Structures are given as C-alpha cells and as structure tokens.
C-alpha cells in the first residue's frame, strides 16, 4: 500500500530537501509524487534536456526508502515553446488565444504540441526506465480540467470537419441525420460546417452533440498517444496512470474511455475548494468515489487528497479538525487503496499560495501533520481489506451523450444534471447502501436496482437491455424525460413518450412542463387502499425542475399532481415480468424519495443500515470478516450502535449482524 504526499522539491531551495524528507518519512509515508509541472526544469531550451536536478532528488528520496510517482510534465509547457509556436495555444469562443501563464492552455489538436509533448515524455521516461524507485508514471495532470477541454481554434475546426467526414462518409448523410433542411442549413461540403461558437439563438442539436463527441476524442486521443509513449519507454516495474479531477459531469470528455489506457484510476478528492462556504454534501463526495470506482469497475487511488483549505484567488471553508481525516477514511471505505495528500507544503510564490498543505508557509508541523500521521498509521493495517472488491446491489447509470445533450438544451432553467443524479443517488446513500455509478454500456445483470437519472437519450439497445433486466426480476427507476431522444439527439416521429421504454414503464406522456427555479408543484399520494398508502409514503409532496404528466397504461399510480388542470400521475410503478419499473415524473422532494428508496430496498431485500442523519456507515468484507467504516460528517457528537462519535470522527470497526464487536 502506498501512502504519501505530493512534493515539489523544484519549488524550494535545495537545502530544504533533507528536512522535508525527514518530515515526510515521519508521517509514515512511503511514496512521493514529483515532477508533473517541471517541463522547463527538464528542457530549459528547445532540445536541451537536463534531468540532473531530478537525478539528485531521486537519489535522496531513494536513500530514505521512498518510492516515487513521477508526472510527465505536459500540463504546463515552457514559455519558449509558446513563443516559438504560438499555435499550440488553445482558443476561447471569441477566437482569443489563451495567454501563456496559468496552465493547460494547450490545444489537444495542435500537431506541434503533440510533437513536443511526445519528445519530452519519451526523453523523461527513457531516462528513468531503469530507476527502481520510480514505480509509477502519472501522464500529464488532470486532463481537461479548468475548462481546458474546450478549444475553438482553426486546428480544431479542421479536425472537427475531418471527424465528421470519417463518421458520415457523405455530406448527404450528415444533412439527413442533422435535419439541416431546417432553417436552410444544408451543407454542400464538410468544409462548410462551423464549430458551434456563439451565434444568434442556437445551433443544430445533432451538430452540437457531435462537437461534444469530437472534443472528447480530442482530449482522449492526446491522452492515449502520451500513454502509449510512456508504455513503450517505461520499465516493466512501472505502472501508468493519470489523475481525474472533480466535476466530471461538467467535462467535455468521456471519462470511462479516458481512463481505459491506464493501469488504474486515480481521483483528486477535494470536498471543498475555492470560495465554497461549506464542503459539498457527504453524499456528493461519496458519489464521486463511486463514480471513480465505476470507471474501471475496480478500486482506485487518490493522488491528491485535500488536507488544508484550497483556492487560487478566493478561499473559503477551512476543514475542521479531523474533518479532512474523516474524508480520507470515507475515500478508503468507498474503494481507495492508496493515497497521497496534496501537498506537502503550501507555496510562498506562484499561483497556489492559498492551496494549503500538510505544512503551511510557517513551516511548522502542527495539527494537520498529526492528522495525516494518524490516517497513515490507522489505515496501514487494513491494506488487504482495502483491496477487496466492493459488491453493490444498486447502480446509477450515466451516459456522456445524454449528459451533453442536456448541456446544450437544459429545457428547464432549474436543470442541473449532477443535481438530478444526486437526487436519485442520495436516498440510497442515506440508507447506507453500496452503490456503483457506472456507464450505461456496462453489464448490469448482477445488480438488483438500476437508477437512471434524467435519461432523455435512450436508444433501442439500451431499452432492450433494461427490459431484459426488469423481466428477470430487476427494479428500474427512471426520473423525468426518459426516452425522449435518439442517439443523434433527435426526437422520434409518432412515438409516444417515454419512447422505447414506454411499455417497460407502463405509462404514456402527452404533455410536460418545465418548472423554473424555485417553482414547486404539489403532488399527493394516490387514493388510500392502493400500494402508495400501504407503503408509508408521505401523503403530500412536491416536484421541482420538471413535470411529466403521466397517464398510466399498465402502471399503478403512487402520486398524482394536485392540480385541477393537470391531475395526471406524477410517480408510477409498473410490474414488468419478474421485476418492476418506477417512473418519477419530476424533481421529487427528498423525503418522498427517501420513502421510495426504503420501499425499494425492502422489496428487493437489499442490505441497508439505519444511522443518524450525518452518520455514514459503509460495509466492507474480507472473506468472512465484515467491517464498518463509521463516519461522522457533522460538527455534533453522534452515536451508532453503542459507539460514541465525536464531531468529524472516523473509525473502522469489525461488525457482525448485531453490532460492532469492539473498536479497533
Ligand atoms: C488540483 C491540481 C493540483 C493543484 C490542486 C490545488 O486540481 O491537480 O495541481 O492545483 O488542484 O488544490
């Protein structure tokens, strides 16, 4: 098991290195990550390579018994390169090249950038291929983060046109697919096709979706090329990975495809960043872990775990004592096997003066240092447990095409995809169920429940797989707008909604309404005596964001809209083969979804654990042995089955059916 810190010896006077290493080893660390922004240090002038600085750092780290993850430095290029080849700079929508400064301002489609990146990557990895202390290569750093996945330059425009030509073959096919007859946009040639920059009103939806797919290919193509070089040049003992940043549903690249070439997934976990007054909610942090575990369907690393407050210009919330420690245990609970903290010491110079580390500018080893040391010493004995596979009964499905189609057409100004995904995820999280968050093209036959948040894009293939799943006894939960669009981002003529899943849901939708921000519409449980009344669902509730007016065909009604004009069903359940499908026709209120989740876990016999609000319990198993990771996400003292949890407490306890068998 690797535990350690992100270390930037190149940013500090050389005389600090010995002292730093002594401090890092004192944490109980066995790994440091270095080098990922140091291109200029390695190639100070075009074609002049010099690794001597890192040679001497590595010799020292090795002496201390530390293993090394080395980052290829392509996330920040040297100023001489930008001066020599300004076309490497990406362009914003207004056609302005991004200035040198900041980071990741390169264009993924710049042949020149690819050439220089390939060269430095090759030189670096070849130089250290036989270095036993370097056990892993990180490729670049947080691909596509901070808006760097979008570029509208001429190179991208030409590459987009080529991408479309490869995809459609003939311009007539593209015209037909997009329906460019509308507003007379018919193209005679691929070279007439624009990139969807700002225009009057809006671009063609199919064109926009292809643009998103092209962006994804651009980012992932670059990542694949660089990874291929590392693989070709590295030593057999060295692994290859990259680090995934947060905010993944807001990105223009498919993350499962992105992480395919890597040996393992690694996530950068920042539950609070920038000016946030509060950390993101515990269920949202948990979902991020489940998403990252879902990328390869395997446990994962964290190479940047937050310890101090963070921000570039604005800084907000300071994690409370033991809160960052608790977030680390939460990560381990959800499948993190190895962890590095960002960062060893906060910088005194440069753009990250306010990204605080384990040690701050005063260079004193204080509370945060002790917290990290306690994490390392308490987690190390569980190394084997952390490697065990997490088996979930519930999966949340997502699909980037669907997410992008929402980004281009929000339909309701209150719509936010991540919020809608969390709306379905959180009720099961609160029951302490294990949940996978996975792409919809995965095999989902081993689950009992599938959640499909805001799945407006469903093709016949997915619809069939969902029907087979339900027919064999599975429960499928759709929220609103299901089955609206095909994979070209078009609607279907003559198909009643919810399109290809209409018979699975047993409903028909003839009308819908977008609800603007802060607008809620009341719903009421269907008449006493039916399933809703029996299952303790709240009598009254409300929907936000959207409402589909559902007409049951074979489904039963759980809720209907309390509206004299639109008394249609709001939530339905349909028997399908051995299983069933729920249709939740709006952004239903939390308590009601909690009650529905409880009904679903009970009907499916899914393991869940009652805990006080704010207390998360995550079960891990190692053969016969079971453990609870118990996490207090609140500032108050809480209890769980006889354990007292101090504010932000975190612990691992052996568990049995009755309760903890004693605290370790
Ligand atoms: C990450 C990034 C690091 C550092 C950190 C600051 O997104 O990978 O290089 O910038 O944020 O919190």
């Amino acid at each position: 098991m690797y535990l350690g810190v992100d270390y930037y010896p190149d940013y500090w006077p050389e005389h600090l290195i010995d002292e730093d290493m002594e401090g890092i080893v004192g944490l109980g660390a066995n790994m440091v990550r270095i080098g990922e922004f140091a291109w200029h240090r390695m190639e100070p002038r075009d074609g002049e390579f010099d690794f001597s600085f890192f040679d001497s750092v590595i010799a020292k780290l090795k002496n201390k018994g530390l293993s090394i993850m080395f980052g290829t430095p392509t996330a920040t290029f040297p100023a001489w390169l930008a001066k020599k080849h300004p076309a490497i700079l990406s362009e914003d929508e207004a056609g302005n090249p991004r200035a040198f400064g900041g980071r990741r301002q390169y264009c993924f489609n710049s042949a020149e950038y690819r050439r220089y990146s390939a060269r430095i990557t090759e030189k670096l990895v070849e130089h250290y291929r036989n270095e036993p202390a370097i056990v892993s290569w990180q490729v670049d750093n947080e691909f596509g983060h901070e808006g760097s996945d979008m570029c509208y330059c001429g190179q991208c425009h030409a590459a987009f046109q080529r991408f479309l030509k490869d995809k459609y073959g003939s311009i007539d096919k593209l015209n037909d697919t997009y329906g460019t007859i509308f507003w007379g946009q018919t193209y005679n040639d691929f070279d007439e096709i624009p990139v969807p920059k700002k225009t009057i009103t809006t671009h063609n939806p199919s064109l926009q979706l292809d643009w998103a797919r092209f962006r994804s290919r651009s980012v992932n193509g670059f990542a694949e090329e660089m990874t291929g070089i590392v693989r070709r040049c590295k030593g057999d003992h060295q692994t290859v990975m990259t680090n995934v940043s947060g905010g993944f549903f807001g990105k223009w690249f498919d993350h499962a495809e992105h992480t395919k070439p890597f040996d393992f997934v690694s996530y950068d976990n920042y539950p609070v960043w920038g000016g946030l007054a509060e950390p993101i909610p515990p269920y949202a942090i948990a979902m991020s872990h489940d998403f990252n575990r879902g990328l390869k369907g395997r446990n994962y690393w964290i190479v940047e775990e937050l310890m101090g407050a963070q921000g570039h210009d604005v800084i907000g919330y300071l994690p409370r004592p033991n809160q960052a420690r608790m977030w680390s245990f939460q990560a381990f609970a959800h499948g993190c096997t190895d962890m590095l903290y960002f960062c060893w010491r906060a910088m005194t110079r440069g753009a990250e003066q306010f990204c605080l580390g384990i040690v701050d500018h005063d260079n004193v080893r204080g509370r945060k240092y002790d917290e990290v040391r306690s994490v390392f010493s308490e987690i190390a004995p569980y190394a084997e447990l952390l490697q065990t596979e997490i088996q979930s009964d519930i999966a949340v499905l997502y699909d980037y095409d669907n997410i992008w189609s929402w980004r281009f057409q929000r339909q309701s100004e209150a719509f936010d995809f991540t919020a809608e995904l969390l709306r379905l995820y959180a009720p099961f999280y609160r029951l302490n169920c294990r949940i996978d968050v996975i792409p919809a093209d995965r095999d989902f036959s081993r689950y009992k429940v599938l959640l499909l948040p805001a799945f407006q894009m469903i093709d016949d293939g997915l619809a069939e797989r969902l029907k087979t799943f339900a027919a064999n006894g599975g429960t499928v939960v759709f929220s609103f707008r299901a089955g609206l669009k095909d994979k070209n981002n078009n609607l279907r003529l003559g198909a009643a909604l919810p399109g290809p899943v209409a018979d699975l849901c047993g409903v028909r939708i003839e009308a819908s309404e977008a609800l603007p921000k802060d607008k809620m519409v009341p719903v009421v449980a269907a008449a006493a005596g039916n399933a809703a009344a029996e299952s303790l669902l709240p009598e009254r509730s409300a929907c936000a964001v959207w409402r589909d007016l559902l007409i049951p065909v074979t489904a039963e009604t759980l809720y209907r809209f309390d509206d004299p004009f639109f008394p249609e069903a709001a939530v339905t359940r349909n028997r399908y083969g051995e299983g069933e499908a729920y249709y939740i026709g709006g952004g239903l209120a939390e308590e009601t979804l909690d009650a529905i989740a409880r009904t679903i876990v009970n009907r499916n016999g899914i393991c869940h654990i009652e805990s006080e609000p704010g207390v998360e319990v995550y079960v891990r198993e190692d053969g016969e042995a079971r453990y609870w990771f118990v996490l207090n996400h609140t500032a108050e003292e809480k209890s769980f089955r006889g354990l007292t949890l101090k504010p932000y407490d975190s612990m691992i306890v052996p568990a049995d059916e009755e309760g903890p068998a004693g605290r370790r």
Side-chain angles (χ1 to χ4, degrees), residues 37 103 141-142 145 268 270 273 304 310 342 352 355:
F37 300 119
R103 58 178 167 179
N141 186 78
E142 292 189 338
H145 195 35
D268 290 350
Y270 292 93
W273 209 90
E304 293 187 24
Q310 303 283 312
F342 187 90
E352 296 205 330
C355 291

Side-chain angles (χ1 to χ4, degrees), residues 6 8 11 33 36-37 103-104 138 141-142 145-146 243-246 268 270 272-274 303-304 306 308-312 342-343 347 352 354-356:
D6 301 317
Y8 300 90
Y11 295 170
R33 187 190 66 170
E36 78 274 17
F37 300 119
R103 58 178 167 179
R104 276 191 227 98
Q138 174 181 300
N141 186 78
E142 292 189 338
H145 195 35
E146 295 164 336
N243 50 342
V244 174
S245 67
D268 290 350
Y270 292 93
V272 64
W273 209 90
V303 294
E304 293 187 24
L306 162 147
Q310 303 283 312
H312 284 164
F342 187 90
C343 54
M347 316 307 170
E352 296 205 330
F354 306 128
C355 291
L356 300 183

Side-chain angles (χ1 to χ4, degrees), residues 220-412:
N220 291 343
F222 181 81
E224 281 162 20
E225 188 180 330
M226 294 308 127
T227 309
I229 294 167
V230 176
R231 277 210 188 282
R232 180 163 48 75
C233 301
K234 73 179 188 63
D236 287 345
H237 67 293
Q238 297 168 335
T239 57
V240 194
M241 49 69 73
T242 192
N243 50 342
V244 174
S245 67
F248 25 79
F249 294 132
K251 298 281 199 289
W252 295 113
F253 59 101
D254 180 310
H255 281 48
E257 183 190 282
H258 180 62
T259 49
K260 236 178 230 156
F262 299 105
D263 290 322
F264 53 87
V265 168
S266 183
Y267 175 53
D268 290 350
N269 185 33
Y270 292 93
V272 64
W273 209 90
L276 287 182
E278 295 284 338
I280 61 170
Y283 58 81
I285 312 171
M287 187 277 287
S288 298
H289 294 303
D290 296 345
F291 170 89
N292 279 283
R293 193 180 67 247
L295 289 173
K296 278 188 180 292
R298 280 212 308 272
N299 295 357
Y300 57 96
W301 285 45
I302 288 181
V303 294
E304 293 187 24
E305 175 77 18
L306 162 147
M307 184 38 70
Q310 303 283 312
H312 284 164
D313 47 356
V314 181
I315 339 160
Y317 183 90
L318 174 64
R320 307 304 187 237
N322 288 319
Q323 192 170 13
R325 178 193 131 98
M326 183 269 295
W327 287 328
S328 306
F329 276 89
Q330 183 190 24
F332 288 124
H334 284 257
C336 170
T337 54
D338 301 78
M339 182 179 281
L340 311 180
Y341 282 91
F342 187 90
C343 54
W344 164 243
R345 183 173 45 238
M347 316 307 170
T348 52
R349 302 170 301 166
E352 296 205 330
Q353 294 171 327
F354 306 128
C355 291
L356 300 183
I358 296 170
V359 174
D360 290 333
H361 312 102
D362 58 9
N363 207 18
V364 172
R365 295 175 197 165
R367 174 183 62 79
K368 291 185 288 180
Y369 186 90
D370 294 339
E371 251 180 62
V372 172
R373 197 163 46 176
S374 80
V375 173
F376 287 176
S377 67
E378 286 179 41
I379 201 64
Y382 293 98
E384 251 179 57
L385 175 67
L386 300 185
Q387 293 292 341
T388 59
E389 191 192 339
I390 294 174
Q391 306 242 4
S392 307
D393 288 329
I394 302 170
V396 182
L397 305 187
Y398 68 86
D399 170 34
Y400 270 95
D401 284 347
N402 176 57
I403 297 168
W404 293 326
S405 76
W406 277 106
R407 283 186 80 177
F408 296 120
Q409 293 172 306
R410 269 202 305 158
Q411 300 168 66
S412 160

Side-chain angles (χ1 to χ4, degrees), residues 427-439:
F428 294 92
Y429 164 87
R430 283 189 279 271
L431 290 169
N432 294 304
C433 297
R434 288 182 297 202
I435 308 165
D436 288 353
V437 179
I438 53 167

